[in-house]
Amino acid sequence: MDPGEIADELYGLDPNEFVAARDERIARARKAGDRDSAAAIGKLRKPTVAAWLVNLLARDRADELAALLDLGAALRTAQRRLSGRDLRRLSGQRRQAVGALEREAGRLAVAHGRRVSEAALREVGQTLNAALADPDIEERVRAGRLETSLEYSGFGDAGTAPLSVVRDRAKDIGAESGAEDEQARAAAKEKERARAAELEHAVAEAEAARAAADEARAAAERAEQELPRHDARVRELRERLAHAEQQREFARSAATAAAQDRTAAERALSAANAAVARLRGE
């Protein structure tokens, strides 16, 4: 019994099904005498809804997720080089791809019989952005076994050591003051790089917020445009219902009158038959 395979299976399940399925797997392992596997499976924790959605993407939309995550290395390289043009281009691709996968996660949830909140979808986007920033998080997202959503503070590779300016060390020998000046310049340049990267990230986030606001406004406008049509439809259905109820009352009255006529006719028939019998002397 391979705990890794079991983890892959369990983290693809709806969170509401996770605990029962995990416990059933633990029971199987214990019955088979595999205590190590039972212990390993017992350590698996129920995923949050957002984590489950990211795990679904890793399973059901692996190609689209890989295409997004491949941007991570390019973004980190552009940031280290302070390439504003590349950062803007790649940041735009990032926003579009993350937004598309957020929406796809919502559709996958519906396909699995579940509707999820906007907050959960935002956590999906947050986790995807964290994966783009941090290679360790990227690896966890690709594996599809997340227990919770992930977050990364500040865009950039957390595992990458700060950059330094490459100098010709031969020219620094015997020039201590020059080396100090060079170090000061390198420190200033590094600080400027960090400031530029922070600014670029802030600009990208502002653009993403602006795009989200524009989309929300457009959705609100579409809803407002649809409202009169739905109001008209409701009025039409109410009128049809009122007409149908009126027709039903007419039909009920006609049925009552017909029943009364039938009763009167049957009585008249009985009277006529009795008269005929008397005349015949019966």
Side-chain angles (χ1 to χ4, degrees):
M1 183 173 292
D2 184 353
E5 293 180 359
I6 293 172
D8 286 335
E9 175 190 342
L10 292 177
Y11 283 110
L13 297 176
D14 185 294
N16 290 336
E17 303 172 0
F18 182 91
V19 173
R22 180 195 61 192
D23 292 348
E24 189 270 338
R25 286 294 193 172
I26 292 173
R28 283 193 199 177
R30 288 174 176 168
K31 185 176 182 180
D34 191 348
R35 295 184 177 181
D36 291 340
S37 293
I41 297 168
K43 293 178 181 179
L44 301 177
R45 293 294 172 260
K46 174 182 174 180
T48 64
V49 172
W52 170 63
L53 292 174
V54 176
N55 294 338
L56 279 184
L57 291 174
R59 287 163 173 74
D60 297 348
R61 296 296 182 269
D63 291 342
E64 293 88 337
L65 181 62
L68 169 66
L69 296 178
D70 288 344
L71 287 175
L75 279 163
R76 292 190 291 272
T77 298
Q79 183 182 359
R80 285 194 296 269
R81 293 176 177 174
L82 285 182
S83 175
R85 177 181 301 177
D86 288 344
L87 272 175
R88 284 189 293 272
R89 174 177 57 82
L90 293 170
S91 294
Q93 294 178 12
R94 171 179 63 87
R95 288 191 298 275
Q96 292 178 1
V98 169
L101 283 177
E102 282 184 17
R103 293 188 291 273
E104 188 60 29
R107 287 191 286 268
L108 284 174
V110 172
H112 284 73
R114 181 163 184 163
R115 293 190 177 276
V116 295
S117 67
E118 290 295 325
L121 294 179
R122 283 195 297 271
E123 289 184 33
V124 170
Q126 167 189 297
T127 301
L128 295 178
N129 278 312
L132 289 171
D134 188 329
D136 291 336
I137 297 177
E138 174 188 338
E139 184 176 350
R140 294 172 63 187
V141 167
R142 288 183 189 270
R145 299 182 189 176
L146 294 184
E147 298 176 359
T148 185
S149 60
L150 302 174
E151 185 175 5
Y152 180 73
S153 299
F155 195 80
D157 186 348
T160 302
L163 300 178
S164 60
V165 176
V166 178
R167 302 190 302 273
D168 185 349
R169 299 300 299 170
K171 293 182 180 180
D172 289 337
I173 298 175
E176 183 176 348
S177 62
E180 291 176 353
D181 291 342
E182 183 67 20
Q183 289 174 357
R185 285 193 295 271
K189 188 176 295 185
E190 188 63 33
K191 184 182 294 185
E192 184 63 27
R193 283 176 175 164
R195 185 182 300 112
E198 184 177 356
L199 175 60
E200 182 66 30
H201 178 58
V203 170
E205 292 300 318
E207 291 177 358
R210 186 180 301 109
D214 290 342
E215 183 176 350
R217 281 194 292 270
E221 291 175 0
R222 289 193 297 270
E224 290 177 357
Q225 292 171 358
E226 287 292 314
L227 183 59
R229 183 174 67 83
H230 291 301
D231 286 342
R233 178 62 174 163
V234 169
R235 287 194 298 271
E236 177 187 354
L237 292 174
R238 284 176 176 167
E239 291 173 358
R240 292 174 61 181
L241 176 61
H243 179 69
E245 289 177 342
Q246 186 180 43
Q247 292 296 107
R248 182 185 63 183
E249 291 303 319
F250 289 157
R252 182 177 291 137
S253 298
T256 300
Q260 292 173 348
D261 290 343
R262 182 187 64 188
T263 300
E266 289 174 348
R267 289 175 178 172
L269 175 61
S270 296
N273 288 336
V276 170
R278 283 197 304 272
L279 291 173
R280 288 177 175 174
E282 295 178 357

